């Protein structure tokens, strides 16, 4: 008698085999397509960020800076003209996060940078093409191979009254301050001396020669590796912090000992 559910003949495929093959094919095809798309996108991004032009810098400036500085760098009521500031000033202000300005205040603080270095350089190049000014120095100025002892002397004479003899920064008037220099890059040290941002004076070649600027930069690059030979640095703020330490801990200890002796004798 014949069975109602005859067995499959030898070698006959299951009814799920076709579905499984289709699924595997879709996965392989989709994965390959996704990988190729990601690779193309990465290639496009690399090309875009590495081939920014002066025209791209103009568009970036007009989209992010023109509200305050004007479409043609002429300035507005909210920001100064940029004629003559040059690409070095733009690179300094934007690469340190000081610009775009977050809010009005005594001075622009450092904050996280909003642009890539390529975008910053493109904007700086456009400003330089429209309103030339100070530009980047030769690489040897920033190599840290200058006369460190001469740089230390020049720093004490020209910079320590604001930035502190240890480069730790210090307070100025009306809520302003001189920032610490312990983490400042050599390029931004040079840019600050040449462009005079905010409260800082401009040190042109008549005041400090390029070689003297190199010496100061070399000294400041060496400073972070120094230890404090006298023990606790107390912020390297000089007699202010030292006097406060003596007043609180020194005189405080004497008062505490006097009170203890009086209580003991009674």
């Amino acid at each position: 008698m014949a069975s109602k559910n005859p067995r499959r003949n030898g070698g006959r495929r299951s009814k799920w085999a076709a579905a499984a093959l289709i699924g595997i094919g879709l996965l392989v095809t989709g994965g390959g397509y996704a990988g190729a798309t990601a690779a193309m996108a990465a290639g496009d991004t690399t090309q875009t960020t590495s081939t920014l032009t002066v025209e791209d810098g103009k568009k970036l400036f007009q989209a992010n800076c023109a509200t305050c500085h004007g479409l043609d760098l002429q300035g507005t009521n909210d920001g100064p003209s940029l004629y003559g500031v040059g690409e070095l000033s733009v690179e300094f202000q934007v690469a340190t996060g000081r610009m775009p300005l977050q809010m009005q205040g005594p001075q622009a603080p450092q904050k996280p940078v909003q642009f890539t270095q390529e975008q910053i350089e493109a904007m700086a190049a456009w400003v330089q093409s429209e309103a030339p000014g100070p530009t980047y120095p030769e690489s040897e100025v920033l190599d840290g191979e200058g006369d460190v002892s001469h740089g230390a002397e020049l720093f004490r004479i020209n910079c320590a009254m604001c930035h502190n003899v240890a480069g730790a920064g210090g307070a100025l008037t009306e809520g302003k301050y001189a920032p610490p220099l312990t983490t400042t890059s050599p390029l931004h040290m040079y840019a600050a001396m040449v462009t005079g941002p905010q409260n800082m004076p401009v040190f042109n070649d008549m005041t400090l020669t390029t070689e003297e600027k190199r010496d100061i930069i070399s000294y400041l690059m060496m400073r972070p590796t120094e230890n404090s030979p006298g023990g606790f640095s107390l912020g390297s703020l000089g007699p202010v912090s030292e006097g406060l330490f003596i007043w609180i801990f020194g005189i405080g200890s004497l008062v505490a000992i006097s009170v203890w002796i009086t209580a003991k004798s009674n």
Side-chain angles (χ1 to χ4, degrees):
M1 181 177 178
S3 173
K4 295 181 179 179
N5 297 311
R7 296 180 180 178
R8 291 175 298 180
N9 295 329
R12 184 181 177 184
R13 294 180 179 176
S14 169
K15 61 183 180 180
W16 300 106
L21 289 173
I22 293 173
I24 293 172
L26 290 173
L27 286 174
V28 172
T29 304
Y33 177 79
T37 302
M40 292 176 63
D44 291 343
T45 302
T46 302
Q47 182 179 7
T48 300
T49 57
S50 62
T51 58
L52 291 178
T53 64
V54 173
E55 188 63 26
D56 294 324
K58 176 181 179 180
K59 294 176 181 177
L60 285 166
F61 181 92
Q62 292 180 341
N64 297 279
C65 314
T67 302
C68 295
H69 296 290
L71 289 172
D72 297 316
L73 311 176
Q74 74 274 17
T76 68
N77 292 332
D78 296 320
S81 167
L82 297 185
Y83 283 110
V85 302
E87 60 186 347
L88 188 60
S89 179
V90 175
E91 200 282 338
F92 174 86
Q93 295 288 352
V94 182
T96 59
R98 289 178 168 87
M99 293 291 157
L101 191 64
Q102 193 172 48
M103 59 180 293
Q104 293 292 339
Q107 69 183 62
Q110 286 188 258
K111 58 183 186 298
V113 183
Q114 299 183 25
F115 302 95
T116 66
Q117 188 62 29
E118 290 82 5
Q119 291 173 326
I120 293 170
E121 291 174 0
M123 286 189 285
W126 178 71
V127 172
Q128 184 74 2
S129 68
E130 295 293 316
T135 187
Y136 303 109
E138 298 293 334
S139 59
E140 68 176 12
V141 178
L142 312 177
D143 62 6
E145 299 297 326
D147 187 335
V148 173
S149 61
H150 188 219
E153 180 183 358
L154 290 170
F155 182 85
R156 286 192 294 270
I157 295 172
N158 296 280
C159 317
M161 68 285 294
C162 294
H163 289 284
N164 183 279
V165 70
L172 302 176
T173 59
E174 300 178 352
K176 302 173 184 178
Y177 56 91
L181 303 176
T182 51
T183 59
T184 304
S185 70
L187 175 61
H188 291 159
M189 293 176 192
Y190 178 85
M193 286 188 278
V194 171
T195 63
Q198 300 183 112
N199 305 293
M200 185 166 174
V202 175
F203 292 94
N204 56 31
D205 289 341
M206 297 293 292
T207 307
L208 289 173
T209 66
T210 301
E211 190 62 31
E212 288 174 330
K213 292 184 180 74
R214 183 193 186 197
D215 293 343
I216 293 175
I217 292 170
S218 300
Y219 166 69
L220 290 172
M221 291 173 67
M222 178 273 298
R223 287 290 302 172
T225 63
E226 288 187 350
N227 295 320
S228 179
F232 292 113
S233 66
L234 299 179
S236 299
L237 297 177
V240 175
S241 60
E242 293 168 2
L244 185 63
F245 180 87
I246 293 173
W247 178 264
I248 294 176
F249 293 97
I251 298 180
S253 298
L254 292 175
V255 171
I257 292 172
S258 300
V259 170
W260 179 80
I261 293 174
T262 303
K264 193 74 172 177
S265 62
N266 293 333

